[in-house]
Amino acid sequence: MAAATGHEKDGKLLFMERTVRPHIGSSIPLKGISSCYTAGRLGDTNQSHRYVFLSREMNTVVLDSTKNLSEHHTTPFCLTEGTIMAGDLHSGTVACQISVHRITLVMDHKLHEEIVVDSENELFVIDAVICDPYVAVLLNDSSLIVLYIRIDENNEVKADKLNVDNVYQSSDSKASCLTIYQDKSGLFVQRKSDNSNALPKSIVVDDPDDIGLNDNLPENADEISNYFYHTKKTYQLNRESNVEKNRRLRTSIIDNEFDNWQPQIDSFVTNPNDVYPSFFLIVAKEDGSLYFFSIPSFELVFVAPNAASVWTTLVDDPRYAKYNPTFGFQTFDEPKIKRSKPMAADGIRALQACRICEVSLYGTGPNGSRPILGVLVDDTITFYEAFPFDNFLDNHLMIRFKKIERSICVRRQPFIIDDNRQPVETIIIGSKVRSRYMNFVPKMGTMENVIIAIGGYPTVLFVGTCGVFQHQFSIDGAIKGFCYLCTPSIAHGFVYVKDDMIRIGETSTRFPQVQYDTPYPCRIVPIGSNIIDITFIFPFNLFAIATSVSEEYSSIWSVNNDEHQEQECEVDDGFVLPRRHKFSLRLFTREDYQFIPNTDLEFKDFENILCVEEVIVSTLGSKTGLMNYLAIGTAFNMGEEVPARGRLLIYEIIEVVPEIGLPTTRFKLKTLAELDQKGPVTSISSTEGILMVAIGQRVFIYTIKDEGLVANSFLDLNFYVTQICPLRSIALCVDMFESVHLLRYQKDFKVLSKIATDDRKVHPRPHRVDFVVNNQNVAIVMGDMEKNLLVFEHDPESLESKSSQRLLVKGGIRNGVTVTNFLRVHAHVSDSMVSRRQKTYNAHSTMFSTKEGSWGFVRPVPERSYRRLFMLQNFIENQFQQIGGLNTRGCRIVRPQATGSELSFTNAKQLIDGDLLMQFFGLDVHDKDELSRRLGTTKYQITDDLIELTRIVRHF
């Protein structure tokens, strides 16, 4: 999507992409691959990987980068089993492979040590992690093996087994997954009992002088007067009451101080060289809790109880530690809760609810200073960010985790199909090799330290200087495996598995580079001037851009017998001259993201470009009978004394022999028509092979004959037209002060007539208008200057339509921003989570841009989904707290409410706020269940509706 923004020298073009676009170098057809990993380093300048592991259920394929990524048959690795994990140790010197039954350590392409987890093959590996220099393995009986890998003085690789008895003693529940985190941020610090490393925090202590202080005011009027107006001592007036102290004491120590915490982007970034790296083992148990152990002592340092409920904040459980005695808190003596095992349904996959299937903790952001915790609960990934917080628990970490707003659904199919709940896709019974859904990439294009979430909807989580962003990686569909890859030819690439295909590629870094530190991936092209209008010419893949440059002038224009005369004025050197805009038209191509040389069109002095549009007009010079032209409308603005005039310019884009060394100069502009008009040409459009032109208060119909424009008909209206939006034989006209009007053109009779209008007597000034298409039904959406979005319908059978002469208001919502443009596109239905694809595809999405630099969508939804979402919106408005105490219902009411007619906005409730509905994803599991129960539905049905709504507006 191309957008023009900025002012004067800050003008720029933005090319926004809804997905991260990979540049594929090669594709290898291989069947049955479920995951992929890289290990080993070559030691060159790129630190290239040597081995690429492609894992199947029963075997493993190893590719060697020294042999152009061909299959390696004489490898020291295990090829007869599926690979659970593979990675580097000792800076790539040692390559480690963890298969179903063994751990293989290879150095210099030689097998140094092979560890079999069970000689009888009854036990097998269900999860494993490699974090230099530690290797952790989780077996199917919930036993844990942690190895310390070292290289001895004889240059031999040795594996020392560590004692992990403290892990078994922490809980009776079985472990489901694990990970190891190397902290380089300096946030993971254990609190000392002597308070030497305690975080600074203001705490109110009791004052003995406040014992006799009474907080209650007197009831007698005279006593009240004396209480407020008689002289008091200064220290008594400034003293804080006991009520205020107790309130501060409650809120400043543990409870809700950081519930609305936001990370400070501009804070000081810790130098990783000054931080001593510490290692932590994170184990997820079947009861849904997360346990953090320090390595190598395996001391329990943090417990997040029932983390599978995806709470807003993960807090350390004080039942597993002791409070610091300095503050007078008492440790809980109640026994630890033993939760029952979740139930599983019959079938190939489990219907188990609230089970942590995968956990990860990576250091993102600059120098890995922003730790992000990822938790895969059933089919949804939820991310948390660590922040410092003193829990006053000795020998425990002084951190908490705050949930990031948006979650990621990794499913390929909806939760509900034909009113039946579908099984969890991430839990596959009988499979020993599974995909790893969260993967870390040190560098990807212009992004560093990112997390790739694969599955049915791959997503990139990037922490930049402007915040935390999630960018889709779904341009190639679902992904089963992903890993980071460096080769001599690819500096920072990747390998991912798609169905029966292995793709190797990288993210493009050619000019202009894609900026990912924005809500959407964006290429920024500086222009250096005002951009008045922009249009895309489809057959030639070009952009026509109207720009203006401000310049001073010292002349006065006058009219004498229809002749314009210019008179120069002599001014002093210190006189401040007025400024005017000099307009020009330039062609822009995405081949090199530059303007095409020698194609600029310079316009006359005081001539302003009002509209630039690509029109499709009937002509005899093409095979299809239609031809694409470039139409430009201008107006001469010379002051109040000179009547406004304009010009209508029609150009044809032709291809010629390009100049030497300039391949883009093959495109040229050929003048087809140039007509002087008696008014400003404010809007141009085309439909069904005709040209519709708005000139002041009139709308003209033109056709092209003998390479010239011929006027067929016109309609004289009583308003100044600012926009024409056609759809087949009908068109919408927006005037300057009134509202929207519906016109109809009868091609057989060459008649242009007015059908209906919005006759509200009290209304804001209209700004932009477009159609909302829902299969065979069509409505009208309009944005006005009071920042409202209104929906109109033309219903001739209604009594309120005054014999089909009135447009009826069917919906309205206060958008809060002024709409500058509309664009109607088809729905994106290639995603597997989208149901009813044909009907969804025919329901168009109407995009809109705003003056504040934002953009959004207006889209029709089915009646059944609308009722569920409308009830959800009412529940969120009544029950949820909003930022800043904002009244969501009051801020979305159309303003003004008065219409000056019998029409009213009371029943115009057909628009719902999509941003408000997305707060449903930020709830924990219990709140989702309770909310869904009150709405008479399930959380899975609401989730399907919201996911489908967000994905059908995603475009490549």
Side-chain angles (χ1 to χ4, degrees):
M1 185 179 69
T5 183
H7 180 69
E8 293 291 345
K9 295 183 180 180
D10 194 39
K12 58 179 71 71
L13 284 177
L14 305 180
F15 294 94
M16 289 176 281
E17 303 170 352
R18 298 304 297 266
T19 59
V20 178
R21 295 173 177 264
H23 176 70
I24 303 301
S26 60
S27 299
I28 306 174
L30 281 176
K31 294 184 178 181
I33 303 298
S34 59
S35 58
C36 57
Y37 308 95
T38 55
R41 300 283 182 168
L42 294 178
D44 55 355
T45 57
N46 288 343
Q47 289 295 314
S48 303
H49 290 98
R50 179 167 184 176
Y51 307 107
V52 178
F53 296 85
L54 305 177
S55 176
R56 293 191 179 99
E57 181 66 26
M58 302 300 296
N59 63 348
T60 300
V61 178
V62 179
L63 307 181
D64 196 340
S65 62
T66 60
K67 299 182 179 181
N68 197 18
L69 290 178
S70 59
E71 186 174 355
H72 209 304
H73 298 283
T74 59
T75 176
F77 297 101
C78 177
L79 303 180
T80 58
E81 296 178 354
T83 300
I84 305 298
M85 172 59 70
D88 298 331
L89 293 170
H90 291 279
S91 301
T93 305
V94 179
C96 177
Q97 180 201 17
I98 303 175
S99 57
V100 177
H101 294 100
R102 53 182 50 84
I103 303 173
T104 306
L105 299 176
V106 175
M107 186 173 66
D108 297 333
H109 201 61
K110 296 180 181 179
L111 177 62
H112 279 244
E113 189 164 356
E114 186 178 47
I115 303 172
V116 179
V117 297
D118 185 19
S119 58
E120 298 179 359
N121 289 337
E122 294 182 356
L123 302 179
F124 56 89
V125 179
I126 61 174
D127 198 5
V129 61
I130 299 174
C131 185
D132 192 11
Y134 296 100
V135 174
V137 172
L138 180 64
L139 304 181
N140 60 331
D141 65 343
S142 191
S143 59
L144 183 65
I145 300 176
V146 180
L147 303 177
Y148 174 73
I149 309 301
R150 59 183 178 87
I151 301 177
D152 60 7
E153 61 277 2
N154 297 326
N155 202 22
E156 295 289 336
V157 180
K158 299 297 182 181
D160 299 333
K161 188 175 181 180
L162 303 181
N163 186 9
V164 294
D165 292 340
N166 292 338
V167 178
Y168 302 132
Q169 298 174 1
S170 61
S171 174
D172 296 335
S173 180
K174 293 184 178 181
S176 59
C177 55
L178 80 166
T179 187
I180 295 179
Y181 170 62
Q182 180 182 4
D183 178 47
K184 297 181 181 179
S185 63
L187 295 178
F188 285 62
V189 179
Q190 294 180 242
R191 198 183 196 284
K192 297 182 180 179
S193 58
D194 57 358
N195 299 329
S196 59
N197 62 344
L199 297 178
K201 186 181 293 291
S202 59
I203 298 177
V204 181
V205 296
D206 293 334
D207 193 341
D209 296 337
D210 290 339
I211 297 177
L213 185 61
N214 185 12
D215 292 321
N216 298 325
L217 294 177
E219 298 181 359
N220 189 287
D222 296 333
E223 293 180 358
I224 293 176
S225 178
N226 294 331
Y227 183 86
F228 281 105
Y229 297 110
H230 81 282
T231 305
K232 294 184 179 182
K233 295 182 180 180
T234 305
Y235 74 91
Q236 291 180 352
L237 292 175
N238 297 332
R239 188 173 300 279
E240 188 178 32
S241 66
N242 289 337
V243 176
E244 293 176 349
K245 284 189 176 182
N246 292 334
R247 184 181 297 114
R248 288 177 55 188
L249 184 62
R250 289 195 304 267
T251 59
S252 62
I253 294 182
I254 286 185
D255 292 337
N256 299 323
E257 183 178 357
F258 285 94
D259 281 353
N260 295 322
W261 176 86
Q262 294 293 335
Q264 297 180 0
I265 305 301
D266 298 331
S267 61
F268 178 75
V269 179
T270 305
N271 187 351
N273 298 324
D274 299 337
V275 178
Y276 181 77
S278 54
F279 295 86
F280 298 91
L281 173 67
I282 299 95
V283 180
K285 298 297 184 71
E286 289 185 353
D287 60 359
S289 301
L290 291 178
Y291 296 83
F292 289 65
F293 302 91
S294 62
I295 298 178
S297 63
F298 292 96
E299 180 183 1
L300 184 62
V301 294
F302 190 91
V303 179
N306 198 14
S309 297
V310 291
W311 308 113
T312 304
T313 305
L314 297 183
V315 183
D316 195 358
D317 193 346
R319 292 172 298 185
Y320 293 85
K322 293 183 179 181
Y323 280 114
N324 191 283
T326 307
F327 303 97
F329 295 107
Q330 295 183 359
T331 306
F332 292 95
D333 294 332
E334 60 185 77
K336 303 178 179 60
I337 300 176
K338 292 185 178 181
R339 301 184 183 272
S340 59
K341 296 182 180 180
M343 300 297 294
D346 297 332
I348 300 178
R349 295 184 177 92
L351 267 170
Q352 203 162 0
C354 295
R355 176 184 176 184
I356 300 179
C357 302
E358 185 178 332
V359 62
S360 66
L361 183 58
Y362 299 114
T364 63
N367 299 332
S369 59
R370 305 277 293 275
I372 298 294
L373 173 68
V375 180
L376 174 61
V377 180
D378 294 344
D379 292 322
T380 304
I381 298 178
T382 304
F383 290 104
Y384 293 85
E385 182 175 3
F387 64 90
F389 189 92
D390 196 347
N391 300 296
F392 303 101
L393 298 175
D394 291 343
N395 300 323
H396 271 226
L397 297 177
M398 295 185 292
I399 59 170
R400 283 184 178 180
F401 293 91
K402 176 68 176 179
K403 182 165 65 173
I404 298 176
E405 293 183 359
R406 296 296 179 87
S407 58
I408 301 174
C409 180
V410 300
R411 291 184 61 89
R412 295 195 179 193
Q413 299 295 330
F415 288 95
I416 304 294
I417 298 180
D418 297 333
D419 297 332
N420 295 322
R421 168 76 169 92
Q422 299 302 307
V424 178
E425 295 183 358
T426 56
I427 304 176
I428 303 177
I429 298 177
S431 176
K432 298 181 180 180
V433 179
R434 66 176 185 86
S435 302
R436 186 164 297 274
Y437 287 90
M438 288 175 283
N439 304 271
F440 181 74
V441 178
K443 187 174 180 60
M444 185 176 183
T446 58
M447 298 180 289
E448 295 183 356
N449 299 331
V450 300
I451 300 176
I452 309 294
I454 64 172
Y457 198 63
T459 305
V460 178
L461 179 71
F462 171 59
V463 180
T465 57
C466 296
V468 181
F469 301 103
Q470 293 183 8
H471 302 308
Q472 283 69 42
F473 194 70
S474 57
I475 190 171
D476 203 13
I479 294 177
K480 296 193 296 184
F482 188 96
C483 66
Y484 177 64
L485 175 65
C486 286
T487 63
S489 58
I490 302 177
H492 302 284
F494 45 79
V495 180
Y496 65 85
V497 181
K498 173 180 170 57
D499 297 331
D500 295 332
M501 187 69 65
I502 308 298
R503 300 195 189 278
I504 302 174
E506 61 180 342
T507 305
S508 177
T509 56
R510 73 184 185 96
F511 177 83
Q513 291 186 350
V514 181
Q515 303 296 328
Y516 296 99
D517 201 5
T518 55
Y520 300 99
C522 179
R523 297 181 187 267
I524 302 177
V525 181
I527 301 299
S529 59
N530 280 327
I531 301 179
I532 306 302
D533 204 346
I534 178 174
T535 186
F536 181 67
I537 306 173
F538 179 75
F540 304 98
N541 197 16
L542 299 176
F543 290 92
I545 303 175
T547 61
S548 68
V549 179
S550 179
E551 62 180 12
E552 296 179 347
Y553 70 97
S554 60
S555 60
I556 298 177
W557 286 79
S558 60
V559 179
N560 187 10
N561 297 330
D562 294 335
E563 293 182 0
H564 294 172
Q565 296 180 357
E566 182 180 8
Q567 180 182 356
E568 291 289 339
C569 299
E570 296 181 0
V571 296
D572 298 334
D573 295 338
F575 186 81
V576 179
L577 293 174
R579 305 185 69 87
R580 65 183 178 187
H581 289 276
K582 182 68 174 178
F583 288 80
S584 62
L585 183 82
R586 310 170 71 181
L587 294 181
F588 185 89
T589 177
R590 290 189 62 194
E591 293 182 10
D592 54 359
Y593 287 92
Q594 298 289 337
F595 286 103
I596 299 178
N598 305 325
T599 58
D600 297 355
L601 294 178
E602 298 294 338
F603 289 81
K604 301 178 181 179
D605 296 338
F606 296 97
E607 185 177 16
N608 298 345
I609 298 179
L610 299 184
C611 54
V612 178
E613 191 70 29
E614 181 202 21
V615 295
I616 303 176
V617 186
S618 299
T619 180
L620 299 177
S622 63
K623 296 180 180 179
T624 60
L626 300 175
M627 182 73 73
N628 296 68
Y629 296 101
L630 180 63
I632 306 171
T634 67
F636 289 92
N637 184 11
M638 299 181 181
E640 297 179 354
E641 298 180 355
V642 181
R645 296 290 187 266
R647 290 197 301 166
L648 175 60
L649 308 175
I650 306 296
Y651 291 94
E652 179 184 359
I653 298 179
I654 60 175
E655 293 192 47
V656 298
V657 179
E659 301 178 13
I660 299 177
L662 299 173
T664 59
T665 56
R666 65 184 183 275
F667 300 109
K668 296 293 182 181
L669 290 175
K670 176 184 176 182
T671 303
L672 184 66
E674 182 176 342
L675 301 180
D676 295 332
Q677 305 294 337
K678 294 183 179 181
V681 182
T682 57
S683 181
I684 303 174
S685 187
S686 63
T687 177
E688 294 188 341
I690 61 172
L691 185 65
M692 302 183 68
V693 182
I695 304 174
Q697 298 179 353
R698 298 182 178 182
V699 177
F700 287 82
I701 301 297
Y702 286 95
T703 57
I704 295 180
K705 291 183 179 180
D706 299 331
E707 296 185 356
L709 289 179
V710 178
N712 291 340
S713 61
F714 74 94
L715 181 62
D716 195 351
L717 302 174
N718 297 326
F719 46 82
Y720 184 85
V721 180
T722 59
Q723 182 193 3
I724 298 177
C725 181
L727 179 64
R728 296 183 180 177
S729 61
I730 60 176
L732 297 175
C733 286
V734 179
D735 61 272
M736 180 70 75
F737 299 102
E738 296 295 330
S739 188
V740 59
H741 308 268
L742 182 62
L743 307 182
R744 178 189 179 189
Y745 176 69
Q746 295 172 282
K747 189 175 182 180
D748 297 336
F749 304 98
K750 298 182 180 179
V751 174
L752 182 63
S753 58
K754 178 179 174 182
I755 301 176
T757 183
D758 174 27
D759 61 352
R760 291 177 298 153
K761 296 181 180 180
V762 179
H763 56 76
R765 290 177 53 185
H767 199 265
R768 284 292 172 179
V769 70
D770 207 330
F771 290 98
V772 177
V773 179
N774 184 13
N775 291 282
Q776 298 180 355
N777 302 320
V778 178
I780 303 169
V781 59
M782 183 186 71
D784 56 29
M785 299 301 293
E786 287 294 331
K787 305 177 182 179
N788 301 318
L789 280 179
L790 304 179
V791 175
F792 298 90
E793 287 185 1
H794 181 236
D795 189 4
E797 298 179 358
S798 175
L799 297 177
E800 298 178 351
S801 63
K802 291 184 178 181
S803 301
S804 75
Q805 295 182 3
R806 171 191 285 178
L807 294 177
L808 304 179
V809 179
K810 291 296 184 179
I813 189 172
R814 181 173 173 82
N815 193 32
V817 288
T818 303
V819 176
T820 58
N821 199 11
F822 282 104
L823 178 64
R824 187 160 39 87
V825 295
H826 276 291
H828 181 201
V829 296
S830 61
D831 193 274
S832 58
M833 293 286 286
V834 178
S835 60
R836 303 181 302 273
R837 295 191 177 184
Q838 187 60 38
K839 291 185 178 180
T840 304
Y841 181 78
N842 293 331
H844 297 178
S845 301
T846 304
M847 304 170 58
F848 63 87
S849 58
T850 67
K851 285 186 177 180
E852 285 74 9
S854 59
W855 53 281
F857 292 87
V858 176
R859 176 170 179 80
V861 295
E863 178 70 19
R864 189 175 180 182
S865 299
Y866 168 78
R867 293 183 181 274
R868 279 194 298 264
L869 298 179
F870 184 73
M871 291 189 297
L872 175 62
Q873 176 179 265
N874 291 335
F875 193 91
I876 293 177
E877 290 176 346
N878 296 330
Q879 302 294 332
F880 289 9
Q881 296 180 358
Q882 303 299 325
I883 298 176
L886 179 66
N887 183 1
T888 56
R889 180 172 299 175
C891 73
R892 294 302 185 187
I893 294 178
V894 176
R895 301 176 187 175
Q897 280 286 298
T899 60
S901 62
E902 64 273 17
L903 295 178
S904 175
F905 289 103
T906 304
N907 298 323
K909 297 180 179 179
Q910 295 187 7
L911 286 178
I912 53 180
D913 188 359
D915 292 332
L916 191 65
L917 298 178
M918 295 306 160
Q919 296 182 11
F920 179 81
F921 290 124
L923 302 178
D924 55 65
V925 174
H926 303 289
D927 289 343
K928 287 182 180 179
D929 291 335
E930 179 65 20
L931 188 149
S932 303
R933 184 186 64 83
R934 295 185 180 184
L935 295 179
T937 181
T938 63
K939 63 180 179 181
Y940 304 107
Q941 186 64 62
I942 297 178
T943 302
D944 282 343
D945 292 339
L946 295 179
I947 290 178
E948 180 178 353
L949 188 62
T950 55
R951 295 191 182 181
I952 57 181
V953 297
R954 305 285 183 179
H955 294 82
F956 297 138

